[in-house]
Amino acid sequence: MEKRITVIGSYNTDLVSKAPHLPKPGETILGGPFIMGPGGKGSNQAVCSARLDAEVYFIGCIGNDNFGKIAKDFLLKENVKVDYLKVTDKTHTGIALIIVDDKTGENMIVVAPGANMEVNIEQINAVKDIILSSDVVLLQLEIPIETISYVLNLVSNERKPLSILNPAPARKLDDKILGKADIVTPNRNELEIITGIKIETLEDVEKASIKMLSYGTKGVVVTLGKDGAFVVTENKRKHIPSFKVEAVDTTGAGDAFNGGLAVALSEGKDLISAVTFASAVAALSVTKMGAASSMPYREEVERFLKEYSN
Ligand code: RIB
């Protein structure tokens, strides 16, 4: 049976340009081509989970504008359920300005959140049944922190469903909020900001993850880009190397990982196998330009894993 994943998070219209290098302060660079596409960490993770064959609800907020209309059509086309996607007159649909380095595929992003900041507790109360009947609830940090905290409290009081908090973009977080999430998935930078431990080596990653575990979460999965992922639970410490691919655009790689992880865990995979599956999803996503549009489909991931194991 299809597993249900509820993603509570952001939608952004991504305005992307490639550039010969990432600009320094005050520098103007001639870049291009320019690409406009669907993004936002929440929506990217929702699209990824749907392409991996989960039943996905996206709880978010868009503006009553053209970008909002494009967003809704896109999500519908991707089989993401938008019954509880709010439309606001108060402000614009979220926007992300993205520059992608032509040579390395690395990016720089500025988000103007707009409508994403209207995802509120009232909206969550209206979808409690959807959340509690899900197999996994997936959150990021591009909506108000009070809303995130409310969802995590709700889910931890009810002891269901499994919650995954992707603490992106990086910000200092109250340990109590973080401790309510079952699984936390920071990248290096987020791990450093949250724990205050400087991350240079894998030993630092392990030390900071153990500190994070002490806040109450059951598992920490650190995404390390081309260096793979690091898993820490009460009785597990494991470094999982990445799949080697040619990176064209790393935008949304973290979202692909989180979508993949949510799907694998919802299907009952153990954490290590789920992280391997998520790493394959992320690897495939960086081989294409774009955020949501670069998310791979289930059969591509299965084929890739099979080819890799031969
Ligand atoms: O994680 C990538 C995403 O971050 C982009 O799609 C952009 O919208 C920002 O939210």
Coordinates of all heavy atoms in Angstrom, one line a residue, residues 42-135:
G42 N 10.3 22.8 1.0 CA 9.2 22.0 1.3 C 8.6 21.4 0.1 O 8.5 20.1 0.0
S43 N 8.4 22.2 -0.9 CA 7.8 21.7 -2.2 C 8.8 20.7 -2.9 O 8.3 19.7 -3.4 CB 7.5 22.9 -3.1 OG 7.1 22.5 -4.3
N44 N 10.1 21.0 -2.9 CA 11.0 20.1 -3.5 C 10.9 18.7 -2.8 O 11.0 17.7 -3.5 CB 12.5 20.6 -3.3 CG 12.7 21.9 -4.1 OD1 11.9 22.3 -5.0 ND2 13.8 22.6 -3.8
Q45 N 10.8 18.7 -1.5 CA 10.8 17.4 -0.8 C 9.5 16.7 -1.1 O 9.5 15.5 -1.1 CB 11.1 17.7 0.7 CG 12.5 18.2 0.9 CD 12.9 18.5 2.4 OE1 12.2 18.0 3.3 NE2 13.9 19.3 2.6
A46 N 8.4 17.5 -1.2 CA 7.1 16.9 -1.5 C 7.2 16.3 -2.9 O 6.7 15.1 -3.1 CB 6.0 17.9 -1.4
V47 N 7.7 17.0 -3.9 CA 7.7 16.5 -5.3 C 8.6 15.2 -5.3 O 8.3 14.2 -6.0 CB 8.3 17.6 -6.2 CG1 8.6 17.0 -7.6 CG2 7.3 18.7 -6.3
C48 N 9.8 15.3 -4.6 CA 10.7 14.1 -4.6 C 9.9 12.9 -4.1 O 10.0 11.8 -4.7 CB 11.9 14.5 -3.8 SG 13.0 13.1 -3.7
S49 N 9.2 13.1 -2.9 CA 8.6 11.9 -2.3 C 7.5 11.4 -3.3 O 7.3 10.2 -3.3 CB 7.9 12.3 -1.0 OG 8.9 12.9 -0.2
A50 N 6.8 12.3 -4.0 CA 5.7 11.8 -4.9 C 6.3 11.1 -6.1 O 5.8 10.1 -6.5 CB 4.9 13.0 -5.4
R51 N 7.5 11.6 -6.6 CA 8.1 10.9 -7.7 C 8.6 9.5 -7.3 O 8.9 8.6 -8.1 CB 9.2 11.7 -8.3 CG 8.7 12.9 -9.1 CD 9.8 13.6 -9.8 NE 9.3 14.7 -10.6 CZ 10.0 15.4 -11.4 NH1 11.3 15.1 -11.7 NH2 9.5 16.5 -12.1
L52 N 8.8 9.3 -6.0 CA 9.3 8.0 -5.4 C 8.1 7.2 -5.0 O 8.2 6.2 -4.3 CB 10.2 8.2 -4.3 CG 11.5 9.0 -4.6 CD1 12.3 9.3 -3.4 CD2 12.4 8.2 -5.6
D53 N 6.9 7.6 -5.5 CA 5.7 6.8 -5.3 C 4.9 6.8 -4.0 O 4.1 5.9 -3.7 CB 5.9 5.3 -5.7 CG 6.3 5.1 -7.2 OD1 6.0 6.1 -7.9 OD2 6.8 4.1 -7.5
A54 N 5.2 7.8 -3.2 CA 4.4 8.0 -1.9 C 3.2 8.8 -2.2 O 3.1 9.5 -3.2 CB 5.3 8.7 -0.9
E55 N 2.2 8.7 -1.3 CA 1.0 9.6 -1.4 C 1.5 10.8 -0.6 O 1.8 10.7 0.6 CB -0.2 9.0 -0.7 CG -1.4 9.9 -0.8 CD -2.5 9.4 0.2 OE1 -2.2 9.1 1.4 OE2 -3.6 9.4 -0.3
V56 N 1.5 12.0 -1.2 CA 2.1 13.2 -0.6 C 1.1 14.3 -0.4 O 0.5 14.8 -1.4 CB 3.3 13.7 -1.3 CG1 3.9 14.9 -0.6 CG2 4.3 12.6 -1.5
Y57 N 0.9 14.8 0.8 CA 0.2 16.1 1.1 C 1.2 17.2 1.3 O 2.2 17.0 2.0 CB -0.7 15.9 2.3 CG -2.0 15.2 2.1 CD1 -2.0 13.8 2.2 CD2 -3.1 15.9 1.8 CE1 -3.2 13.2 1.9 CE2 -4.3 15.3 1.5 CZ -4.4 13.9 1.6 OH -5.6 13.3 1.4
F58 N 1.0 18.3 0.6 CA 1.8 19.5 0.9 C 1.0 20.6 1.6 O 0.1 21.1 1.1 CB 2.4 20.0 -0.5 CG 3.2 21.2 -0.3 CD1 4.4 21.2 0.5 CD2 2.9 22.4 -0.9 CE1 5.1 22.4 0.7 CE2 3.7 23.6 -0.8 CZ 4.8 23.5 0.0
I59 N 1.5 20.9 2.8 CA 0.8 22.0 3.6 C 1.7 23.2 3.5 O 2.8 23.2 4.1 CB 0.7 21.5 5.1 CG1 0.1 20.1 5.2 CG2 -0.2 22.5 5.8 CD1 -1.2 19.8 4.6
G60 N 1.3 24.2 2.8 CA 2.1 25.4 2.6 C 1.2 26.6 2.3 O 0.0 26.5 2.5
C61 N 1.8 27.7 1.9 CA 1.1 28.9 1.5 C 1.7 29.6 0.3 O 3.0 29.8 0.3 CB 1.0 29.8 2.7 SG -0.1 31.2 2.4
I62 N 0.9 30.0 -0.6 CA 1.4 30.7 -1.8 C 0.6 32.0 -1.9 O -0.4 32.2 -1.3 CB 1.2 29.9 -3.1 CG1 -0.3 29.3 -3.2 CG2 2.2 28.7 -3.2 CD1 -0.6 28.6 -4.5
G63 N 1.1 32.9 -2.7 CA 0.4 34.2 -2.9 C -0.6 34.1 -3.9 O -0.6 33.2 -4.8
N64 N -1.6 35.1 -3.9 CA -2.6 35.1 -4.9 C -2.1 35.8 -6.2 O -2.5 36.9 -6.5 CB -3.8 35.9 -4.3 CG -5.0 35.8 -5.2 OD1 -5.1 35.0 -6.2 ND2 -6.0 36.6 -4.9
D65 N -1.1 35.2 -6.8 CA -0.4 35.9 -7.9 C -0.1 34.8 -9.0 O -0.4 33.6 -8.8 CB 0.9 36.6 -7.5 CG 1.8 35.8 -6.6 OD1 1.7 34.5 -6.7 OD2 2.5 36.3 -5.7
N66 N 0.6 35.2 -10.1 CA 0.9 34.3 -11.2 C 1.8 33.2 -10.7 O 1.6 32.0 -11.1 CB 1.5 35.0 -12.3 CG 0.5 35.6 -13.2 OD1 -0.7 35.1 -13.2 ND2 0.8 36.6 -14.0
F67 N 2.8 33.5 -9.9 CA 3.7 32.5 -9.5 C 3.0 31.4 -8.6 O 3.3 30.3 -8.7 CB 4.9 33.1 -8.6 CG 5.9 33.8 -9.5 CD1 6.8 34.7 -8.9 CD2 6.0 33.6 -10.9 CE1 7.8 35.4 -9.6 CE2 7.0 34.2 -11.6 CZ 7.9 35.1 -11.0
G68 N 2.0 31.9 -7.9 CA 1.2 31.0 -7.0 C 0.4 30.0 -7.9 O 0.3 28.8 -7.6
K69 N -0.2 30.6 -9.0 CA -1.0 29.7 -9.9 C -0.1 28.7 -10.5 O -0.4 27.5 -10.6 CB -1.6 30.6 -11.0 CG -2.8 31.4 -10.5 CD -3.6 32.0 -11.6 CE -4.5 33.1 -11.1 NZ -3.8 34.4 -10.8
I70 N 1.1 29.1 -11.0 CA 2.1 28.2 -11.6 C 2.4 27.1 -10.6 O 2.5 25.9 -10.9 CB 3.3 28.9 -12.1 CG1 2.9 29.9 -13.2 CG2 4.4 27.9 -12.5 CD1 4.1 30.8 -13.6
A71 N 2.6 27.5 -9.3 CA 3.0 26.5 -8.3 C 1.9 25.5 -8.1 O 2.2 24.2 -8.1 CB 3.1 27.3 -6.9
K72 N 0.6 25.9 -8.0 CA -0.4 24.9 -7.8 C -0.6 23.9 -8.9 O -0.7 22.7 -8.7 CB -1.7 25.7 -7.6 CG -2.8 24.9 -6.9 CD -3.9 25.7 -6.3 CE -4.8 24.9 -5.5 NZ -5.9 25.7 -4.9
D73 N -0.5 24.5 -10.2 CA -0.6 23.6 -11.4 C 0.5 22.6 -11.4 O 0.4 21.4 -11.7 CB -0.5 24.5 -12.6 CG -1.8 25.3 -12.8 OD1 -2.8 25.0 -12.1 OD2 -1.8 26.2 -13.7
F74 N 1.7 23.1 -11.0 CA 2.9 22.2 -11.0 C 2.7 21.1 -10.0 O 2.9 19.9 -10.3 CB 4.2 23.0 -10.7 CG 5.4 22.2 -10.5 CD1 6.0 21.5 -11.6 CD2 5.9 22.0 -9.3 CE1 7.1 20.7 -11.4 CE2 7.0 21.2 -9.0 CZ 7.6 20.5 -10.1
L75 N 2.3 21.4 -8.8 CA 2.2 20.4 -7.8 C 1.1 19.4 -8.1 O 1.3 18.2 -7.9 CB 1.9 21.1 -6.4 CG 3.1 21.8 -5.8 CD1 2.7 22.8 -4.7 CD2 4.2 20.9 -5.3
L76 N 0.1 19.9 -8.7 CA -1.0 18.9 -9.1 C -0.5 18.0 -10.2 O -0.7 16.8 -10.1 CB -2.2 19.7 -9.7 CG -3.2 20.3 -8.7 CD1 -4.2 21.2 -9.3 CD2 -3.9 19.1 -8.0
K77 N 0.3 18.5 -11.1 CA 0.8 17.7 -12.2 C 1.8 16.6 -11.6 O 1.9 15.5 -12.2 CB 1.6 18.6 -13.2 CG 1.9 18.0 -14.5 CD 2.6 18.9 -15.4 CE 4.0 18.7 -15.4 NZ 5.1 19.4 -15.0
E78 N 2.4 17.0 -10.5 CA 3.4 16.1 -9.9 C 2.7 15.1 -8.9 O 3.4 14.4 -8.1 CB 4.4 16.9 -9.1 CG 5.4 17.6 -10.1 CD 6.4 16.7 -10.8 OE1 6.6 15.6 -10.4 OE2 6.9 17.1 -11.8
N79 N 1.4 15.1 -8.9 CA 0.6 14.2 -8.0 C 0.8 14.5 -6.5 O 0.7 13.6 -5.7 CB 1.0 12.7 -8.2 CG 0.4 12.2 -9.5 OD1 -0.7 12.6 -9.9 ND2 1.2 11.4 -10.2
V80 N 1.1 15.7 -6.2 CA 1.2 16.2 -4.8 C -0.2 16.7 -4.5 O -0.8 17.5 -5.2 CB 2.2 17.3 -4.6 CG1 2.2 17.8 -3.2 CG2 3.6 16.7 -5.0
K81 N -0.8 16.3 -3.3 CA -2.1 16.8 -2.9 C -2.0 18.2 -2.4 O -1.3 18.5 -1.5 CB -2.7 15.8 -1.9 CG -2.9 14.4 -2.5 CD -3.8 13.6 -1.7 CE -3.9 12.1 -2.1 NZ -4.3 11.9 -3.5
V82 N -2.8 19.1 -3.0 CA -2.8 20.5 -2.6 C -4.1 21.0 -2.0 O -4.3 22.2 -1.9 CB -2.4 21.4 -3.8 CG1 -1.0 21.2 -4.2 CG2 -3.3 21.1 -5.0
D83 N -4.9 20.0 -1.5 CA -6.2 20.4 -0.9 C -6.0 21.4 0.3 O -6.9 22.2 0.6 CB -6.9 19.1 -0.3 CG -6.8 17.9 -1.2 OD1 -5.7 17.7 -1.8 OD2 -7.8 17.3 -1.4
Y84 N -4.9 21.3 1.0 CA -4.7 22.2 2.1 C -3.5 23.2 1.9 O -2.9 23.6 2.9 CB -4.4 21.3 3.4 CG -5.5 20.3 3.5 CD1 -5.3 19.0 3.2 CD2 -6.7 20.7 4.0 CE1 -6.3 18.0 3.3 CE2 -7.8 19.7 4.1 CZ -7.5 18.4 3.7 OH -8.6 17.5 3.8
L85 N -3.3 23.5 0.6 CA -2.3 24.6 0.3 C -3.1 25.9 0.4 O -4.1 26.1 -0.4 CB -1.8 24.3 -1.1 CG -0.8 25.4 -1.7 CD1 0.4 25.5 -0.8 CD2 -0.4 24.9 -3.1
K86 N -2.6 26.8 1.3 CA -3.3 28.0 1.5 C -2.9 29.1 0.4 O -1.8 29.0 0.0 CB -3.0 28.5 2.9 CG -3.8 29.7 3.4 CD -3.6 29.8 4.9 CE -2.5 30.7 5.3 NZ -2.4 30.9 6.7
V87 N -3.9 30.0 0.1 CA -3.5 31.1 -0.8 C -3.8 32.3 -0.1 O -4.9 32.5 0.5 CB -4.4 31.0 -2.1 CG1 -4.0 32.2 -3.0 CG2 -4.3 29.7 -2.9
T88 N -2.8 33.2 0.0 CA -3.0 34.5 0.8 C -3.0 35.7 -0.1 O -2.3 35.7 -1.2 CB -1.9 34.6 1.8 OG1 -2.1 35.8 2.6 CG2 -0.5 34.7 1.3
D89 N -3.7 36.7 0.3 CA -3.7 38.0 -0.4 C -2.7 39.0 0.2 O -2.4 40.0 -0.3 CB -5.1 38.7 -0.3 CG -6.1 38.0 -1.3 OD1 -5.7 37.7 -2.4 OD2 -7.2 37.8 -0.9
K90 N -2.2 38.5 1.4 CA -1.3 39.4 2.2 C 0.0 39.7 1.5 O 0.6 40.8 1.7 CB -1.1 38.8 3.5 CG -2.3 38.9 4.5 CD -1.8 38.5 5.9 CE -3.0 38.2 6.8 NZ -2.6 37.3 7.8
T91 N 0.5 38.7 0.8 CA 1.9 38.9 0.3 C 2.2 38.0 -0.9 O 1.3 37.3 -1.3 CB 2.9 38.7 1.4 OG1 4.3 38.9 0.9 CG2 2.8 37.3 2.0
H92 N 3.3 38.1 -1.5 CA 3.7 37.4 -2.7 C 4.1 35.9 -2.4 O 4.5 35.6 -1.3 CB 4.8 38.1 -3.4 CG 6.1 38.2 -2.6 ND1 7.0 37.2 -2.6 CD2 6.5 39.1 -1.7 CE1 8.0 37.5 -1.7 NE2 7.7 38.7 -1.2
T93 N 4.0 35.1 -3.5 CA 4.6 33.7 -3.4 C 6.1 33.8 -3.1 O 6.7 34.8 -3.6 CB 4.3 33.1 -4.8 OG1 2.9 33.0 -5.0 CG2 4.9 31.7 -4.8
G94 N 6.6 32.9 -2.4 CA 8.0 32.9 -2.0 C 8.9 32.9 -3.3 O 8.5 32.3 -4.3
I95 N 10.0 33.6 -3.2 CA 11.0 33.7 -4.3 C 12.4 33.4 -3.8 O 12.8 33.8 -2.7 CB 11.1 35.2 -4.8 CG1 9.7 35.7 -5.3 CG2 12.1 35.4 -5.9 CD1 9.3 35.2 -6.6
A96 N 13.1 32.6 -4.7 CA 14.5 32.4 -4.3 C 15.4 32.8 -5.5 O 15.1 32.5 -6.7 CB 14.7 30.9 -4.1
L97 N 16.4 33.6 -5.2 CA 17.4 34.1 -6.2 C 18.6 33.2 -6.1 O 19.2 33.1 -5.0 CB 17.7 35.6 -5.9 CG 16.6 36.5 -5.8 CD1 17.0 37.9 -5.4 CD2 15.8 36.6 -7.2
I98 N 18.9 32.5 -7.2 CA 19.9 31.5 -7.1 C 21.0 31.7 -8.1 O 20.7 31.9 -9.3 CB 19.3 30.1 -7.3 CG1 18.2 29.8 -6.2 CG2 20.3 28.9 -7.2 CD1 17.5 28.5 -6.3
I99 N 22.3 31.5 -7.7 CA 23.4 31.6 -8.7 C 24.1 30.2 -8.6 O 24.4 29.7 -7.5 CB 24.3 32.7 -8.4 CG1 23.6 34.0 -8.4 CG2 25.5 32.7 -9.4 CD1 24.3 35.2 -7.7
V100 N 24.3 29.6 -9.8 CA 24.9 28.3 -9.8 C 26.3 28.4 -10.5 O 26.4 29.0 -11.6 CB 24.1 27.3 -10.6 CG1 24.8 25.9 -10.7 CG2 22.7 27.1 -9.9
D101 N 27.3 28.0 -9.9 CA 28.7 28.0 -10.4 C 28.8 27.0 -11.6 O 28.5 25.8 -11.4 CB 29.7 27.7 -9.3 CG 31.1 27.8 -9.8 OD1 31.5 27.4 -10.9 OD2 32.0 28.3 -9.0
D102 N 29.1 27.5 -12.8 CA 29.2 26.7 -14.0 C 30.1 25.5 -13.9 O 29.9 24.5 -14.4 CB 29.7 27.6 -15.1 CG 28.8 27.6 -16.3 OD1 28.0 26.7 -16.4 OD2 28.9 28.6 -17.1
K103 N 31.2 25.7 -13.1 CA 32.3 24.7 -13.1 C 32.0 23.6 -12.0 O 32.2 22.5 -12.3 CB 33.6 25.3 -12.8 CG 34.1 26.2 -13.9 CD 35.5 26.7 -13.7 CE 35.8 27.9 -14.6 NZ 35.1 29.2 -14.2
T104 N 31.5 24.1 -10.8 CA 31.4 23.1 -9.7 C 30.0 22.7 -9.4 O 29.7 21.7 -8.7 CB 31.9 23.8 -8.4 OG1 31.1 24.9 -8.1 CG2 33.4 24.2 -8.6
G105 N 29.0 23.4 -10.0 CA 27.6 23.1 -9.7 C 27.2 23.6 -8.3 O 26.0 23.5 -7.9
E106 N 28.1 24.3 -7.6 CA 27.7 24.9 -6.2 C 26.8 26.1 -6.4 O 26.9 26.7 -7.5 CB 29.0 25.2 -5.5 CG 29.7 24.0 -4.9 CD 30.9 24.4 -4.1 OE1 31.7 25.3 -4.6 OE2 31.2 23.8 -3.1
N107 N 26.1 26.4 -5.3 CA 25.2 27.5 -5.5 C 25.2 28.5 -4.3 O 25.8 28.3 -3.3 CB 23.7 27.0 -5.6 CG 23.3 26.2 -4.4 OD1 23.4 26.7 -3.3 ND2 22.8 25.0 -4.6
M108 N 24.6 29.7 -4.6 CA 24.3 30.7 -3.5 C 22.8 31.0 -3.6 O 22.3 31.2 -4.8 CB 25.1 32.0 -3.9 CG 26.5 32.0 -3.4 SD 27.4 33.4 -4.1 CE 26.9 34.6 -2.9
I109 N 22.1 31.1 -2.5 CA 20.7 31.3 -2.6 C 20.2 32.4 -1.6 O 20.7 32.5 -0.4 CB 19.9 30.0 -2.2 CG1 20.4 28.9 -3.1 CG2 18.4 30.2 -2.3 CD1 19.7 27.5 -2.8
V110 N 19.4 33.3 -2.1 CA 18.7 34.3 -1.2 C 17.2 34.0 -1.3 O 16.7 34.0 -2.5 CB 19.0 35.8 -1.5 CG1 18.2 36.7 -0.7 CG2 20.5 36.1 -1.4
V111 N 16.5 33.8 -0.2 CA 15.1 33.6 -0.3 C 14.3 34.8 0.3 O 14.6 35.3 1.3 CB 14.7 32.3 0.6 CG1 13.2 32.1 0.7 CG2 15.4 31.1 0.0
A112 N 13.3 35.2 -0.5 CA 12.3 36.2 0.0 C 11.1 35.4 0.3 O 10.3 35.1 -0.6 CB 12.1 37.3 -1.1
P113 N 10.8 35.1 1.6 CA 9.8 34.0 1.9 C 8.4 34.4 1.6 O 7.6 33.5 1.3 CB 10.0 33.7 3.4 CG 10.8 34.9 3.9 CD 11.6 35.5 2.8
G114 N 8.0 35.7 1.7 CA 6.6 36.1 1.4 C 5.6 35.2 2.0 O 5.6 35.0 3.2
A115 N 4.8 34.5 1.2 CA 3.6 33.7 1.7 C 4.0 32.6 2.6 O 3.2 32.1 3.4 CB 2.8 33.2 0.5
N116 N 5.3 32.1 2.5 CA 5.7 31.0 3.3 C 5.6 31.3 4.8 O 5.4 30.4 5.7 CB 7.1 30.6 3.0 CG 7.3 30.0 1.6 OD1 6.5 29.2 1.2 ND2 8.2 30.5 0.9
M117 N 5.7 32.6 5.1 CA 5.6 33.0 6.5 C 4.2 33.0 7.1 O 3.9 33.4 8.2 CB 6.3 34.4 6.7 CG 7.8 34.3 6.7 SD 8.4 33.2 8.0 CE 9.7 32.3 7.2
E118 N 3.2 32.7 6.2 CA 1.8 32.7 6.6 C 1.3 31.2 6.9 O 0.2 31.0 7.1 CB 0.9 33.2 5.5 CG 1.2 34.7 5.1 CD 1.0 35.6 6.2 OE1 0.0 35.5 6.9 OE2 1.8 36.5 6.4
V119 N 2.3 30.3 6.9 CA 1.9 28.9 7.3 C 1.8 28.9 8.8 O 2.8 29.0 9.5 CB 2.9 27.9 6.8 CG1 2.5 26.5 7.2 CG2 3.2 28.0 5.3
N120 N 0.5 28.9 9.4 CA 0.4 29.2 10.8 C -0.3 28.0 11.5 O -0.7 27.0 10.9 CB -0.4 30.5 11.0 CG -1.7 30.5 10.3 OD1 -2.2 29.5 10.0 ND2 -2.2 31.7 10.0
I121 N -0.4 28.2 12.8 CA -1.0 27.1 13.7 C -2.4 26.8 13.3 O -2.8 25.7 13.4 CB -0.8 27.6 15.2 CG1 0.7 27.5 15.5 CG2 -1.6 26.7 16.1 CD1 1.1 28.1 16.8
E122 N -3.2 27.9 13.0 CA -4.6 27.7 12.6 C -4.7 26.7 11.4 O -5.5 25.8 11.4 CB -5.1 29.0 12.2 CG -6.6 29.1 12.1 CD -7.0 30.5 11.5 OE1 -6.2 31.4 11.6 OE2 -8.1 30.5 10.9
Q123 N -3.8 26.9 10.5 CA -3.7 26.0 9.3 C -3.4 24.5 9.7 O -3.9 23.6 9.2 CB -2.7 26.5 8.3 CG -2.7 25.9 6.9 CD -1.6 26.5 6.0 OE1 -0.9 27.4 6.4 NE2 -1.5 25.9 4.8
I124 N -2.5 24.4 10.7 CA -2.1 23.1 11.1 C -3.3 22.4 11.8 O -3.6 21.2 11.6 CB -0.9 23.1 12.1 CG1 0.3 23.8 11.4 CG2 -0.5 21.8 12.7 CD1 0.8 23.1 10.1
N125 N -4.0 23.2 12.7 CA -5.1 22.6 13.4 C -6.2 22.0 12.4 O -6.8 21.1 12.7 CB -5.8 23.6 14.3 CG -5.0 23.8 15.6 OD1 -4.3 22.8 16.0 ND2 -5.0 24.9 16.2
A126 N -6.3 22.7 11.3 CA -7.3 22.2 10.3 C -6.9 20.9 9.6 O -7.7 20.3 8.9 CB -7.5 23.4 9.2
V127 N -5.6 20.6 9.7 CA -5.1 19.3 9.0 C -4.5 18.3 9.9 O -3.8 17.4 9.5 CB -4.1 19.7 7.9 CG1 -4.7 20.5 6.8 CG2 -2.9 20.4 8.5
K128 N -4.9 18.4 11.2 CA -4.4 17.5 12.2 C -4.6 16.0 11.8 O -3.7 15.2 12.0 CB -5.2 17.7 13.5 CG -4.4 18.5 14.5 CD -5.1 18.5 15.8 CE -4.5 19.6 16.7 NZ -5.3 19.9 17.9
D129 N -5.8 15.7 11.3 CA -6.1 14.3 10.9 C -5.2 13.8 9.8 O -4.8 12.7 9.9 CB -7.6 14.2 10.4 CG -8.5 14.4 11.6 OD1 -8.1 14.5 12.7 OD2 -9.7 14.5 11.3
I130 N -4.9 14.7 8.9 CA -4.0 14.3 7.8 C -2.6 14.0 8.3 O -2.0 13.0 8.0 CB -3.9 15.4 6.7 CG1 -5.3 15.6 6.0 CG2 -2.8 15.1 5.7 CD1 -5.7 14.5 5.1
I131 N -2.2 14.9 9.2 CA -0.8 14.8 9.8 C -0.7 13.5 10.6 O 0.2 12.6 10.4 CB -0.5 16.0 10.7 CG1 -0.4 17.2 9.8 CG2 0.8 15.7 11.4 CD1 -0.2 18.5 10.6
L132 N -1.7 13.3 11.5 CA -1.7 12.1 12.4 C -1.9 10.8 11.7 O -1.5 9.7 12.2 CB -2.6 12.3 13.5 CG -2.3 13.5 14.4 CD1 -3.3 13.6 15.6 CD2 -0.9 13.4 15.0
S133 N -2.5 10.8 10.5 CA -2.7 9.6 9.8 C -1.6 9.3 8.7 O -1.7 8.4 7.9 CB -4.1 9.6 9.0 OG -4.1 10.6 8.1
S134 N -0.6 10.1 8.8 CA 0.6 9.9 7.9 C 1.6 8.9 8.4 O 1.6 8.6 9.6 CB 1.3 11.3 7.7 OG 0.5 12.2 7.1
D135 N 2.4 8.4 7.5 CA 3.5 7.5 8.0 C 4.7 8.4 8.4 O 5.5 8.0 9.3 CB 3.9 6.6 6.9 CG 2.7 5.6 6.6 OD1 2.5 4.7 7.4 OD2 2.0 5.9 5.6

